[in-house]
Amino acid sequence: MKTPRILIIYTGGTIGMKEDPDTLALVPFDFSQISQEVPQIRKFGYEIEADSFDAPIDSSDAGPKLWIKIASHIEKRYNEFDGFVVLHGTDTMAYSASALSFMLDNLEKPVIFTGSQLPIGMLRTDGAENLISSIEIAASRGLDGSPMVPEVCVYFQNQLFRANRTTKYNAENFHAFSSANYPPLAEVGIHIDFNTRLINYPSQRGWPLGVNTSLDTSVISVKLVPGMSESGFASICATPGIKAIVIESFGTGNVPSDEWFVKPLREAAARGVLLVNVSQCAAGKVDMDAYANGRVMKDLGAVSGYDATFESVITKLYCLLGTHKDLNMVKRLMNMNLKGEISKK
Ligand code: ASP
C-alpha cells in the first residue's frame, strides 16, 4: 500500500498555542513547523502537510464563513490526500464539524476534527495525543485499501465520534465531548478498535466530492425556561425574515400549553416559518405523542428533532435552507436521516 498522505488544517483554538517565553502569554505557533512541536508524528512515516489559516481564531468567532473556508480547502486539496485532520477550538467544534458533515457529499475520506483543552506547547497537554491519534485514524485503511472511517468525525480523549452526534459537555475535563445518542465509531487504547457496524460507508464509490457552500442562517432558537418573558418570546417569534424557529423543549419535547406560548408560534407557522422541536436533554429523543404538552408542538406542525443534537439541528437547517427555496422540502428533509444525525431510517 502506498504511504498515506495526511493534511492537517489548523483553524485556531487552544491546541495551536504555546507560551511566549518573554510574555508568558499564549500565542499561536507556526503550524508548518508542526513536526518540531510534536516530533513523534515523524515516526508514522506518513507524508504529512500542515496548512494554517491566516489569523487563527478562537472558535467562539467561528461560523458559516469559517465552515465554507474549511470545506473549500478540503475540496481544493481532496485528491492530493488520503485523510484530513482539522484542528479547531473546542468551544464550537461540534457546530463546525456538524456543519461540515452536511456540507460535504460523496465523502470517501476521513475528516477528523480535534483540538485540546491545554495548548500543545504545554507539558501536560492533551493536544499531542489527540493530534497523533487523529492522524493515525485519518490514515487507517481496511484490507481493501479504503479508509476505515470515511466520515466527518470528532476525536477527543480516546474516542472517535460521528461529528453530527457530538456536543461539548465539559469545559475543563480532558473528556470534553460526548455523543449521548450514538456510540463511538472507534475507541483508542492499545489498539484502535473501529466499530465498523456503526460507520457509514459510501454505497457507491468514485463520485466527485460535492461541497455545498450556500448556507442560510435565518434561524432563531429559543431555550424554554419556566417563567420566561412572554412578551420577549412573542417578539422573538415575530422577528422579520426568519425562516425557522428551533424550540429547545423540556424532556421528550414538551412545551407550555398556554396561549402566550402557542399564539406567537401559530402566527409564525401561518407566515410559513418552520418550527422545530429539540429536547434540552442531551440523551433520549423527542416524542411529541408522549404527553399532551408535546402534542402542542405537533398540532402547531413542528418537525421533531428526534434524537439529534442541538448543534446538528441548527447546522442542518442552515444547509437545507441554503439549498432549498421550498420550505416543505426543507421540512421533509429535516424529517429524514441524511448523514447519520438521527436514529431514523
Ligand atoms: N476558546 C477556545 C476555542 O474554542 C477553547 C479551545 O480551543 O479549547 O477556540
Side-chain angles (χ1 to χ4, degrees), residues 268-330:
R271 292 197 308 275
V273 175
L274 187 65
L275 308 180
V276 185
N277 185 1
V278 188
S279 175
Q280 293 179 18
C281 298
K285 63 176 186 302
V286 168
D287 175 1
M288 291 190 276
D289 288 315
Y291 293 89
N293 285 58
R295 285 215 67 106
V296 171
M297 285 302 281
K298 192 170 180 180
D299 292 345
L300 285 164
V303 185
S304 172
Y306 301 96
D307 61 346
T309 61
F310 179 72
E311 293 88 334
S312 88
V313 166
I314 294 291
T315 53
K316 185 176 174 181
L317 274 171
Y318 288 179
C319 284
L320 294 179
L321 291 170
T323 29
H324 301 279
K325 290 260 171 303
D326 176 7
L327 282 184
N328 283 322
M329 177 57 97
V330 174

Side-chain angles (χ1 to χ4, degrees), residues 29-265:
F29 68 83
D30 176 5
F31 248 85
S32 59
Q33 306 303 316
I34 180 71
S35 57
Q36 272 172 29
E37 296 299 329
V38 192
Q40 305 94 302
I41 65 175
R42 287 196 204 120
K43 294 194 182 154
F44 278 132
Y46 306 155
E47 288 175 34
I48 300 175
E49 264 187 49
D51 289 346
S52 186
F53 286 172
D54 290 344
I57 58 165
D58 185 290
S59 76
S60 306
D61 284 322
K65 226 168 103 190
L66 178 76
W67 307 341
I68 291 168
K69 203 166 162 187
I70 300 170
S72 306
H73 200 77
I74 291 173
E75 181 181 33
K76 196 168 91 195
R77 309 214 63 187
Y78 193 69
N79 294 332
E80 294 170 65
F81 292 91
D82 301 300
F84 302 84
V85 174
V86 180
L87 302 180
H88 192 288
T90 57
D91 290 347
T92 66
M93 188 189 295
Y95 288 91
S96 299
S98 294
L100 264 282
S101 78
F102 297 115
M103 292 165 74
L104 301 178
D105 286 324
N106 310 323
L107 185 66
E108 291 186 33
K109 297 180 180 182
V111 174
I112 315 293
F113 277 72
T114 195
S116 67
Q117 296 280 63
L118 281 179
I120 219 159
M122 281 177 75
L123 213 47
R124 275 193 322 105
T125 184
D126 52 331
E129 194 286 320
N130 285 346
L131 174 64
I132 290 166
S133 295
S134 295
I135 291 173
E136 187 165 349
I137 289 167
S140 296
R141 290 178 286 200
L143 293 176
D144 67 350
S146 58
M148 290 301 291
V149 199
E151 287 204 43
V152 184
C153 301
V154 167
Y155 177 80
F156 227 83
Q157 276 291 294
N158 305 329
Q159 289 182 305
L160 181 75
F161 299 120
R162 174 168 299 150
N164 55 36
R165 294 290 195 152
T166 57
T167 299
K168 181 175 182 183
Y169 82 106
N170 197 313
E172 295 189 335
N173 202 287
F174 285 162
H175 271 284
F177 286 86
S178 70
S179 165
N181 284 332
Y182 201 76
L185 302 182
E187 298 196 65
V188 176
I190 292 177
H191 305 289
I192 300 180
D193 285 329
F194 290 96
N195 297 319
T196 48
R197 279 180 311 105
L198 301 172
I199 296 169
N200 279 341
Y201 290 99
S203 48
Q204 292 165 330
R205 292 184 194 274
W207 287 68
L209 179 74
V211 182
N212 162 29
T213 53
S214 51
L215 305 171
D216 184 339
T217 60
S218 315
V219 178
I220 270 181
S221 67
V222 182
K223 181 171 188 162
L224 300 185
V225 290
M228 65 194 287
S229 158
E230 298 178 8
S231 58
F233 182 70
S235 56
I236 289 172
C237 293
T239 307
I242 48 163
K243 295 183 180 162
I245 302 174
V246 179
I247 299 292
E248 277 195 88
S249 57
F250 304 119
T252 53
N254 303 315
V255 296
S257 55
D258 294 338
E259 213 32 32
W260 70 263
F261 178 80
V262 177
K263 188 166 172 268
L265 288 180

